[in-house]
Amino acid sequence: ACVIPAAAAPVPWTASQVTGTPDPPPPFQTRKVFEHVRFSAATSLSFAPGSDRFFVTEQWGKVYSLPADRDCRQADLFLDIGALAARQNASRPAAEALKPGNVFHLAFHPDFATNRFCYLCYTVGYRDESLPPYRDSTRVVRLTVIDDEGVPRADPASEVEVIAWPAGGHNGGCLAFGPDGMLYVSAGDGGDHFPEDPHKTGQDVSDLRAAILRIDVDHPDTGRDYAIPADNPLRDVPGARGELFSFGHRNPWKMSFDRATGELWAGDVGLEVWELVCRVKPGDNYGWSLQEGSNPIRPDGPRGPAPVVKAWCEVPHTAGASITGGFVYRGTNFPELVGRYVFGDWVTRRVWSIATTGDGPGPLV
């Protein structure tokens, strides 16, 4: 036993100025759906029309599928992007050989049940790191899915590059088919944390980066594997890339469409003060890198061809530090969440919901 002398006993603190009560426990808790399967640095979860399988991308280059059986013991390999890099290297000089990088997102064509097309966003780079950066290092490609004795596999030999841009610390890389049948692609500013927007892409609409793109993959133009829709907001703006749907994003990390309203929602990773939730509309300019949300960064810098619009929600860095965009809930199990945007934060592991109607989102819940 240990006896504390009276002189060493703690002295009660009676001068506290702290008021309030602890935060209540969160109303929801997570639960593992697949108890026996683990993934390393998963970056996206997707579903294929006409299939009951789950598809999971891992950051370090592999994609898996899972059967609907929650008691399954192992995921099935869908694709290893090492095979895609090897296929490219077969027609490249050895001195310019590519190495696989990261996988960001997998999306399936709305008519997947008949055309068997899926779309993948991943990065590659030169094996020889002394070479200048490989320009088309963030790639969105189309792949055909084949049946391998009842297990779906992406065929590396079917790869077709759709669109590409230079990789960097912020790549975006989310893919989503809209209710209009167009493919929406998020692209970050290509920089790291500092300096801010090093390539000055935020307000530069002649560049594909720092933007959300909208392209037509079903009716490609001559010489490329997509078309620019006639109603894209910047199509007729001199000097602008017509693929841009919105711009002034820092790193739009995950976006989705509200399946009830068709609205596009995106989480945009902030710098030091705010994380953003954007209800994205055609031609919107979210201000990067003139500002980070409502926080000025380079207020006197060159401005793109649209006024800056306010994000739907700003999350302070006292609460989160790296936003991950989510979904507007339209399920039936949780009536209190219907019509609310559910999203999370990679650093704090918190998950919130906000309202999506009215003049503003209201409080985080």
Side-chain angles (χ1 to χ4, degrees):
C2 177
V3 178
I4 301 176
V11 178
W13 182 26
T14 60
S16 171
Q17 301 298 310
V18 176
T19 60
T21 58
D23 291 337
F28 298 97
Q29 294 183 341
T30 59
R31 178 173 59 88
K32 292 181 181 178
V33 177
F34 290 91
E35 289 283 350
H36 310 293
V37 183
R38 300 290 184 271
F39 296 100
S40 175
T43 54
S44 75
L45 172 69
S46 56
F47 307 89
S51 170
D52 61 355
R53 283 186 170 252
F54 300 80
F55 293 81
V56 178
T57 58
E58 287 187 338
Q59 181 180 359
W60 310 120
K62 293 184 179 180
V63 186
Y64 295 91
S65 74
L66 286 164
D69 178 13
R70 302 297 196 268
D71 196 43
C72 74
R73 301 285 165 151
Q74 182 176 339
D76 297 307
L77 183 66
F78 180 72
L79 177 69
D80 184 338
I81 66 166
L84 302 182
R87 181 173 173 271
Q88 294 177 63
N89 288 336
S91 59
R92 300 179 65 87
E96 297 180 3
L98 299 175
K99 63 179 179 180
N102 297 324
V103 177
F104 295 111
H105 208 97
L106 175 71
F108 291 85
H109 193 283
D111 296 327
F112 171 77
T114 55
N115 65 25
R116 309 301 290 175
F117 290 159
C118 69
Y119 294 80
L120 184 75
C121 184
Y122 72 99
T123 61
V124 291
Y126 287 121
R127 286 181 182 169
D128 183 353
E129 296 183 357
S130 68
L131 293 173
Y134 178 45
R135 175 166 177 77
D136 294 331
S137 47
T138 303
R139 311 180 74 234
V140 176
V141 301
R142 188 189 74 212
L143 296 156
T144 300
V145 179
I146 59 177
D147 184 273
D148 181 10
E149 298 182 351
V151 177
R153 316 272 191 196
D155 180 10
S158 69
E159 182 187 33
V160 174
E161 182 180 291
V162 177
I163 194 169
W165 64 90
H170 300 149
N171 291 295
C174 188
L175 309 175
F177 278 93
D180 53 5
M182 303 299 165
L183 178 61
Y184 292 72
V185 182
S186 73
D189 67 7
D192 291 310
H193 197 70
F194 289 109
E196 304 91 346
D197 194 10
H199 307 294
K200 305 297 188 293
T201 62
Q203 296 295 303
D204 181 6
V205 294
S206 69
D207 192 293
L208 290 179
R209 291 171 291 185
I212 291 176
L213 319 177
R214 177 178 182 255
I215 57 177
D216 182 350
V217 295
D218 291 330
H219 308 92
D221 290 335
T222 302
R224 61 185 175 194
D225 284 282
Y226 68 91
I228 297 174
D231 58 346
N232 268 15
L234 300 184
R235 179 184 173 118
D236 298 322
V237 174
R241 291 293 299 258
E243 297 93 337
L244 270 62
F245 184 74
S246 63
F247 65 98
H249 297 279
R250 184 170 184 258
N251 190 24
W253 181 241
K254 302 310 176 187
M255 60 183 179
S256 65
F257 287 91
D258 183 342
R259 60 183 180 179
T261 68
E263 291 180 318
L264 177 61
W265 293 85
D268 198 353
V269 179
L271 177 64
E272 289 193 316
V273 180
W274 300 109
E275 302 294 306
L276 307 180
V277 171
C278 304
R279 182 170 65 176
V280 183
K281 296 181 180 179
D284 275 357
N285 174 8
Y286 285 95
W288 181 253
S289 58
L290 302 173
Q291 57 196 66
E292 166 211 18
S294 57
N295 181 50
I297 302 292
R298 296 181 177 129
D300 298 325
R303 189 177 303 270
V308 175
V309 300
K310 185 179 180 180
W312 181 253
C313 177
E314 296 183 344
V315 179
H317 271 202
T318 54
S322 182
I323 200 168
T324 299
F327 297 86
V328 177
Y329 181 76
R330 296 294 177 184
T332 57
N333 289 339
F334 307 106
E336 62 270 45
L337 289 178
V338 173
R340 296 182 66 86
Y341 183 68
V342 181
F343 65 102
D345 184 81
W346 182 81
V347 173
T348 65
R349 299 302 196 258
R350 293 174 174 172
V351 177
W352 301 282
S353 76
I354 54 173
T356 59
T357 57
D359 295 331
L364 294 171
V365 177

